[in-house]
Amino acid sequence: MNLEKLLQALSGNPMYRISVTGDTVELIAVTPSMGEAASDVEAEPSESRHMIIIFKIKEGNELEPINAYVEDSRGQRRSVGLDEIRWWLDIIDQTSG
């Protein structure tokens, strides 16, 4: 996916923060809590989690995911497979104009 297309697709969405430094892009997404994800209105509030995806900007401003993980409020990390990130990027690419 192209950097400009990603920026356009996610702009204005408060769940995403994107920073570009040199040839690296860091995308931080706030993920819903387990209760929110399950639409459980009676669930106890739970800790926030962030998905962090690091991209390298390649020729033509194309993005290549190089690292991805979910981090909880205690700083514990769980890796996310880059194939999952590529699949997510394909979905955004197909649904954005």
Side-chain angles (χ1 to χ4, degrees):
M1 172 174 246
N2 186 281
L3 173 60
E4 286 77 21
K5 193 167 188 179
L6 180 70
L7 293 172
Q8 182 180 26
L10 302 181
S11 71
N13 187 328
M15 293 185 66
Y16 296 98
R17 291 189 310 242
I18 300 173
S19 64
V20 180
T21 306
D23 66 348
T24 304
V25 175
E26 179 182 65
L27 180 132
I28 300 173
V30 178
T31 63
S33 69
M34 297 297 230
E36 291 168 331
S39 298
D40 185 352
V41 294
E42 295 180 21
E44 292 291 319
S46 62
E47 65 186 34
S48 65
R49 298 178 302 153
H50 295 87
M51 175 175 277
I52 293 96
I53 307 168
I54 310 296
F55 299 95
K56 180 158 183 73
I57 302 173
K58 300 189 76 163
E59 187 175 327
N61 274 343
E62 291 298 312
L63 296 174
E64 176 185 343
I66 57 173
N67 192 14
Y69 55 91
V70 175
E71 185 172 82
D72 65 24
S73 60
R74 296 174 304 226
Q76 295 180 330
R77 294 180 177 183
R78 179 184 58 83
S79 292
V80 175
L82 296 181
D83 286 342
E84 292 179 58
I85 302 305
R86 289 184 192 99
W87 173 82
W88 177 74
L89 287 174
D90 286 344
I91 298 295
I92 291 176
D93 194 28
Q94 292 171 14
T95 58
S96 62

